[in-house]
Amino acid sequence: MLQLNYLRDHREAVIQRLKHRFFLTAEEDVDRILAFDRKRRQLQLDLDTTQARSNALSKEIGQRMKEGNQEAAESARRETAELKQRAREWGEELATTEKALYDVLVTLPNLPHASVPAGRTAEENEVVLQHGTLPDLPETALPHWDLVKQYDRKTGPIVDFELGTKITGAGFPVYKGKGARIQRALVNFFLDEAQRAGYVEIQPPLVINRDSGFGTGQLPDKDGQMYHIPEEDFFLIPTAEVPITNLYRDVILASADLPVKHVGYTPCFRREAGSWGAHVRGLNRLHQFDKVEIVQVCQPEHSYAVLEEMSQYVQGLLRKLELPYRVLRLCGGDMGFTAALTYDMEVYSAAQKRWLEVSSISNFETYQANRLKLRYKVEGKTQLLHTLNGSALALPRVLAAILENNQTSEGILLPKILQPYAGFEKID
RNA sequence: AGAGGGAUGGCAGAGUGGUCGAUUGCGGCGGUCUUGAAAACCGUUGGCUGUAAAAGGUCCGGGGGUUCGAAUCCCUCUCCCUCUGCCA
């Protein structure tokens, strides 16, 4: 959520930056907010004045009654009746105005950082860098959804989509044998690496309440993307970002606590309503998948350095996995609602001949912190912190790329770094 | 799930209708003393809103009510604890 006082002082800049991400009603919305804000402040002033008078009278009534001066007490009491009526009216109008202001304010996305490229769609994202050579596979190379059926020759499909359909439905694959072991190897590898980089591991709940969903920005408008449990109004987490960042909801940290660095492995659940179509075969898009997520909370002046650090960290993982990758800086139109700047990491999946997003690393600046009321003390004042997070990494597409890129006539070779974690070198 | 008891400032814990945003202790911060530290002593120490700074307003789990006045009384919701039951 944008900060109202910033909006008050920087109307033009806010509108310009919102337009940068093709938020078309920017000007209209900002002006509505500012109008509500002016009204709100006037009402607040009126209400405060009335209540101050009312409070003074109440004290006086107490005094008079103690003195036994019934008459004076009664006269003061008569005056409060009128004040009370006025206060009620101001109060109701104030509440209505605040609600109206808030309803518009929460629909405004975050302001894009100055370095965010202009652009409306994914086509206009900026390729920051590309690393590694793209494998040149023979024509007979298979996409991973065919490869998984072919291996393991001994135990059957290492990722079984049909079986998952039987148990649940499309998008819930079953990992078996070496497929399951590779997943576990990846999780352990990612967690160990994060720990070495100073991230403290968290095992959060996989089910969250409405307040948590609001804190990180999934609610109110993305509730259709989460699985909902109506009996208790809970949601299955779409990412570990939600429970981990919400650990710091309503928290005031000391400077000495910063930066906060957390890592968590969780399954993630996404309804992906409306996003099925071409290019979603196999592991490319799932309703349930595993992900290791890194989260940081830091001082505003450090957050862009932290973002770069997180980007370097994730790139390090991809290099260790020997996967060709590229880094994108998302354009204004493609960025998530809550982000100020996002880097996407894509690996090259050689049989599909496609780049697959395996990580998205974002700086939310104060957008989430404002909703979370996540602050710290600096020179005696409380100030909003900055939050960041990134996948490190999402498993299915990493697995897809490993399977496709490393296929040989003798089987699929695991990257060296994973072999000790998996306990085998090759799927055959 | 049933019965009972709770929810107060970073923590502990008073406060049962009126100068209570809240006694006190611990912790934190600043100071005196000390070569330094500890101890002792003195001072200070909530959030939000508002202002140039004040003043003022608001908040004692959430919401609603009674009253001139509510942390305190009433209703309701949520959560926690104890006992009983069930269960990985």
Side-chain angles (χ1 to χ4, degrees):
Chain A
M1 192 157 64
L2 297 179
Q3 294 175 77
L4 193 53
N5 55 7
Y6 183 85
L7 222 134
R8 230 151 28 205
D9 300 338
H10 303 87
R11 175 184 172 276
E12 295 301 323
V14 168
I15 291 169
Q16 283 317 307
R17 289 172 73 188
L18 285 175
K19 283 185 173 166
H20 205 58
R21 68 189 296 164
F22 294 92
F23 190 76
L24 298 173
T25 57
E27 185 156 359
E28 175 193 328
D29 287 349
V30 168
D31 284 338
R32 278 175 69 206
I33 289 170
L34 292 176
F36 283 135
D37 184 46
R38 279 189 294 273
K39 187 175 176 196
R40 196 201 101 233
R41 299 216 284 169
Q42 183 56 51
L43 284 166
Q44 185 79 61
L45 189 68
D46 295 341
L47 180 66
D48 285 0
T49 313
T50 312
Q51 285 186 324
R53 176 67 186 145
S54 189
N55 288 342
L57 280 172
S58 284
K59 272 184 189 165
E60 196 185 319
I61 291 170
Q63 281 296 329
R64 295 290 167 267
M65 287 180 43
K66 243 179 217 165
E67 294 162 6
N69 189 342
Q70 289 297 331
E71 212 164 293
E74 193 49 45
S75 120
R77 186 178 299 187
R78 271 194 298 276
E79 195 186 334
T80 60
E82 192 205 338
L83 289 176
K84 214 180 152 185
Q85 179 56 30
R86 286 233 305 272
R88 179 179 285 271
E89 282 162 20
W90 299 129
E92 277 169 12
E93 206 179 341
L94 180 65
T96 312
T97 308
E98 277 178 340
K99 176 76 166 66
L101 189 161
Y102 175 85
D103 284 348
V104 184
L105 188 61
V106 294
T107 65
L108 293 185
N110 203 352
L111 305 177
H113 183 258
S115 70
V116 169
R120 201 180 284 263
T121 68
E123 311 295 302
E124 289 154 284
N125 293 335
E126 176 194 333
V127 179
V128 178
L129 67 87
Q130 187 172 321
H131 178 275
T133 47
L134 307 189
D136 191 19
L137 297 179
E139 279 308 304
T140 53
L142 295 173
H144 68 269
W145 51 84
D146 288 329
L147 278 172
V148 294
K149 281 190 214 160
Q150 195 162 321
Y151 298 105
D152 182 330
R153 289 204 175 95
K154 287 178 196 138
T155 63
I158 56 172
V159 183
D160 196 325
F161 295 99
E162 281 77 23
L163 205 45
T165 305
K166 170 182 163 185
I167 303 304
T168 310
F172 292 91
V174 173
Y175 302 86
K176 291 194 306 190
K178 285 184 174 175
R181 288 167 67 191
I182 295 175
Q183 292 259 110
R184 186 153 54 85
L186 283 167
V187 169
N188 286 334
F189 166 61
F190 292 148
L191 288 174
D192 286 353
E193 289 288 314
Q195 168 142 0
R196 265 194 283 280
Y199 292 90
V200 175
E201 186 173 346
I202 302 286
Q203 282 192 20
L206 308 181
V207 180
I208 52 142
N209 59 28
R210 194 164 276 278
D211 285 345
S212 296
F214 177 78
T216 34
Q218 281 70 26
L219 296 173
D221 46 16
K222 294 202 186 51
D223 51 342
Q225 290 300 323
M226 291 190 285
Y227 288 99
H228 184 228
I229 301 164
E231 285 83 352
E232 12 283 304
D233 199 25
F234 288 161
F235 299 86
L236 301 190
I237 59 167
T239 159
E241 162 195 353
V242 181
I244 294 178
T245 310
N246 270 281
L247 297 176
Y248 295 91
R249 172 152 45 88
D250 248 320
V251 166
I252 299 178
L253 292 168
S255 297
D257 301 328
L258 300 166
V260 170
K261 298 176 77 174
H262 283 311
V263 61
Y265 152 68
T266 68
C268 300
F269 304 92
R270 298 186 182 178
R271 294 188 60 226
E272 301 290 359
S275 61
W276 294 81
H279 298 316
V280 297
R281 289 192 69 179
L283 293 166
N284 289 354
R285 171 160 278 136
L286 300 171
H287 286 308
Q288 178 185 325
F289 64 97
D290 293 289
K291 181 159 64 67
V292 173
E293 181 83 1
I294 51 176
V295 172
Q296 290 209 38
V297 178
C298 70
Q299 284 102 327
E301 59 271 29
H302 297 154
S303 68
Y304 282 94
V306 168
L307 184 69
E308 294 306 317
E309 172 205 314
M310 289 169 77
S311 164
Q312 289 303 322
Y313 171 75
V314 171
Q315 291 181 51
L317 296 178
L318 293 169
R319 280 196 220 102
K320 286 178 186 177
L321 290 170
E322 303 165 54
L323 291 169
Y325 68 87
R326 63 181 191 179
V327 179
L328 305 182
R329 184 183 283 134
L330 296 194
C331 71
D334 199 34
M335 246 188 343
F337 192 75
T338 52
L341 179 60
T342 299
Y343 290 121
D344 271 9
M345 306 285 159
E346 297 185 332
V347 298
Y348 191 72
S349 202
Q352 298 184 68
K353 296 190 166 60
R354 285 185 62 208
W355 292 96
L356 300 177
E357 180 194 330
V358 291
S359 176
S360 191
I361 309 167
S362 301
N363 186 356
F364 304 98
E365 296 192 2
T366 59
Y367 194 92
Q368 290 182 331
N370 193 25
R371 290 185 169 204
L372 293 161
K373 302 201 196 322
L374 166 52
R375 294 157 295 175
Y376 77 122
K377 292 271 191 190
V378 54
E379 286 159 16
K381 297 193 103 177
T382 49
Q383 260 203 359
L384 291 173
L385 285 161
H386 281 193
T387 59
L388 304 96
N389 66 52
S391 344
L393 292 159
L395 297 225
R397 295 173 187 164
V398 168
L399 179 58
I402 288 174
L403 296 176
E404 292 186 13
N405 296 7
N406 300 341
Q407 58 184 303
T408 69
S409 50
E410 277 88 53
I412 299 165
L413 296 170
L414 281 198
K416 276 224 159 41
I417 192 95
L418 280 186
Q419 291 174 6
Y421 280 101
F424 57 90
E425 296 173 7
K426 185 164 75 168
I427 307 167
D428 48 18

